[in-house]
Amino acid sequence: MVEVTSSPGMEQWEHVDMMYISIESTIALASVLGNVLVILVVSLNRALRDPTFCFIVSLALADIAVGTLVIPLAVVISLGLKTSFYTCLFLSCLLLIITQSSILSLMAIAIDRYLRIRIPTRYSIVVTQQRAWVAVGLCWLLSVLAGLVPMLGWHQALSSNSSTSPIKCQFMAVIRMDYMVYFNFFGWVVGPLTIMTGLYAEIFRVIRCQLNRRAEAVADTSKYYHKELKLAKSLALVLFLFTLCWLPLHIMNCITYFCPHCQVPKSTLYVGIFMSHGNSALNPLVYAFRIQRFRTTLIHIAQRCVLCKAHES
């Protein structure tokens, strides 16, 4: 009987894996708690129950799903547990669905703000809360359809015994890189991000023009556009952070696909994963520090919690 000992290299990678799981757990907890607070704030403050915040709630739900589903699944996949091929493929597709829903929620927010600026007098007629929730449903439906494309056949080829025997469940063992690069990245990330960048650029241009044109107009009109400008900046910051956090992982996918002989270090890959998942914990911080109505309600909730604890003690 041969005793297997761990080499220093294996121990180093085991340490990296443990660090990965610890950091992922922290990100998951922060994502869930922060975004549950987002939904709680919107539900308690009537002033926040407008179409824009319907889409923000949709984004918060996607971020909660990152903490409760995506991160645990990512950890399971990173451990390479043995499952059937199609079970592993379905788990990998779930990761993709949540990402797509975040992007489409950001797209819906950008379109909503654009309409708010372009048709301010007819906005409340065109964009009702009911239509906003219908749009949220469509975003999630499209996300599910796009994320499940590998289940329809765009996946890694099955070996002779992989359909019956368990495989080591790893993302790249079931998901093809041409799907990730051409369909997921170029089609569902670069395309929407380009459109959203154009929308926000047009939003800022229109607001600046209106503020310059109405410099001597009534105070209410000027106040309206200043308020819209501040909110647009906050939501554009959410988009910027999403882009900043997700691009490194997609760039690594492109390197893997276009340069098969290039090796992406495991630690670098983990950093890319941390950044993509950590984005879900950043959005509540943006809302808290940048949106006055949100921050006021959040402080009120915190004060009530403190008072309740004081009475209990």
Side-chain angles (χ1 to χ4, degrees):
M1 182 173 170
V2 180
E3 182 180 356
V4 179
T5 57
S6 298
S7 66
M10 290 176 63
E11 290 177 357
Q12 180 182 2
W13 284 126
E14 287 173 4
H15 176 69
V16 171
D17 290 337
M18 289 303 298
M19 286 290 294
Y20 166 72
I21 294 172
S22 300
I23 295 173
E24 284 280 56
S25 301
T26 304
I27 293 172
L29 183 62
S31 299
V32 173
L33 292 178
N35 287 285
V36 165
L37 276 176
V38 170
I39 296 174
L40 183 62
V41 166
V42 173
S43 64
L44 291 177
N45 191 337
R46 290 184 178 274
L48 296 176
R49 296 179 197 173
D50 59 21
T52 301
F53 279 88
C54 290
F55 301 125
I56 288 178
V57 166
S58 175
L59 183 59
L61 289 172
D63 289 336
I64 290 172
V66 169
T68 57
L69 286 176
V70 172
I71 291 178
L73 287 177
V75 170
V76 167
I77 290 174
S78 73
L79 294 175
L81 298 181
K82 290 200 170 184
T83 66
S84 70
F85 180 90
Y86 283 105
T87 299
C88 184
L89 180 61
F90 179 71
L91 295 179
S92 300
C93 287
L94 283 180
L95 307 183
L96 299 170
I97 289 170
I98 305 303
T99 307
Q100 315 283 21
S101 66
S102 297
I103 294 170
L104 290 180
S105 294
L106 288 170
M107 173 79 86
I109 290 171
I111 294 172
D112 173 75
R113 300 323 299 171
Y114 176 77
L115 293 175
R116 178 86 174 179
I117 294 302
R118 269 300 184 187
I119 52 170
T121 56
R122 293 186 293 121
Y123 171 81
S124 58
I125 300 172
V126 174
V127 186
T128 63
Q129 195 167 28
Q130 184 178 1
R131 288 176 179 173
W133 284 117
V134 170
V136 167
L138 287 174
C139 287
W140 279 90
L141 178 60
L142 287 173
S143 302
V144 170
L145 294 176
L148 290 180
V149 165
M151 293 291 296
L152 302 177
W154 199 349
H155 55 66
Q156 294 286 15
L158 281 80
S159 60
S160 56
N161 61 347
S162 60
S163 58
T164 55
S165 302
I167 65 165
K168 188 176 182 181
C169 185
Q170 293 181 324
F171 189 81
M172 291 181 64
V174 292
I175 299 293
R176 285 172 52 169
M177 276 297 106
D178 56 347
Y179 166 84
M180 288 301 299
V181 172
Y182 291 117
F183 186 84
N184 186 270
F185 181 45
F186 291 155
W188 285 88
V189 176
V190 174
L193 286 180
T194 302
I195 294 171
M196 285 185 274
T197 301
L199 286 173
Y200 278 110
E202 180 64 10
I203 288 169
F204 292 132
R205 188 193 69 78
V206 171
I207 292 177
R208 294 294 186 189
C209 288
Q210 292 294 337
L211 288 175
N212 292 336
R213 186 183 305 168
R214 300 172 184 271
E216 299 178 359
V218 294
D220 288 344
T221 304
S222 179
K223 184 179 178 181
Y224 170 82
Y225 282 106
H226 277 294
K227 178 183 173 183
E228 290 299 321
L229 178 62
K230 187 174 181 180
L231 183 56
K233 285 181 177 179
S234 300
L235 297 174
L237 177 59
V238 171
L239 176 62
F240 172 76
L241 290 174
F242 179 89
T243 306
L244 187 67
C245 290
W246 277 96
L247 274 183
L249 191 58
H250 283 291
I251 290 171
M252 280 184 261
N253 286 338
C254 290
I255 292 172
T256 301
Y257 179 66
F258 292 114
C259 182
H261 301 293
C262 300
Q263 292 292 327
V264 177
K266 193 173 184 180
S267 55
T268 304
L269 179 62
Y270 279 164
V271 170
I273 295 172
F274 293 149
M275 291 179 67
S276 64
H277 293 165
N279 176 248
S280 298
L282 293 177
N283 292 338
L285 297 177
V286 175
Y287 305 146
F289 285 103
R290 299 278 307 179
I291 302 176
Q292 178 65 42
R293 291 177 293 170
F294 185 93
R295 183 168 61 251
T296 302
T297 307
L298 193 59
I299 293 172
H300 180 65
I301 292 172
Q303 289 173 341
R304 287 179 62 178
C305 290
V306 170
L307 288 174
C308 287
K309 288 183 179 179
H311 285 307
E312 288 175 1
S313 60

